Amino acid sequence: MKKGIHPDNYRPVVFKDMSNGDMFLTKSTCKTTETVEFEGETYPLVKIEISNTSHPFYTGKKKLVDTAGRVDRFMSRYGKIKK
């Protein structure tokens, strides 16, 4: 790998999935002020809403979330049109 191609703040960071509490360590340049103890070391912490451990595509729990009735409204308008 070439020397000097990564930014100076490229460092190990812990990402925490807030929906299920799962944490994983990777390298990143994300800015954060929080830290966490992970596997005996202290790392910067970045909180995320969803990751591969909680995303419906990866977990196999496919669930349609329709809070505003958009799917029903679409189907009532365009569901009966055939080409």
Side-chain angles (χ1 to χ4, degrees):
M1 206 174 211
K2 289 184 178 180
K3 299 267 185 209
I5 62 171
H6 292 294
D8 293 334
N9 62 344
Y10 189 66
R11 70 214 185 283
V13 175
V14 172
F15 285 85
K16 182 176 182 180
D17 186 339
M18 298 308 291
S19 63
N20 63 4
D22 189 42
M23 296 192 301
F24 58 94
L25 178 68
T26 187
K27 290 188 174 182
S28 177
T29 59
C30 291
K31 294 179 182 177
T32 183
T33 57
E34 298 182 60
T35 59
V36 68
E37 190 78 22
F38 185 72
E39 296 179 353
E41 298 282 328
T42 302
Y43 296 103
L45 174 67
V46 176
K47 295 178 180 178
I48 55 176
E49 294 297 320
I50 195 162
S51 70
N52 65 327
T53 59
S54 63
H55 193 280
F57 179 79
Y58 296 107
T59 60
K61 298 176 184 174
K62 296 180 182 177
K63 183 171 84 173
L64 178 63
V65 178
D66 183 23
T67 57
R70 293 182 189 134
V71 173
D72 293 332
R73 195 166 48 239
F74 177 84
M75 292 306 286
S76 68
R77 287 183 188 170
Y78 306 108
K80 297 177 184 174
I81 297 174
K82 294 184 180 180
K83 290 185 178 184

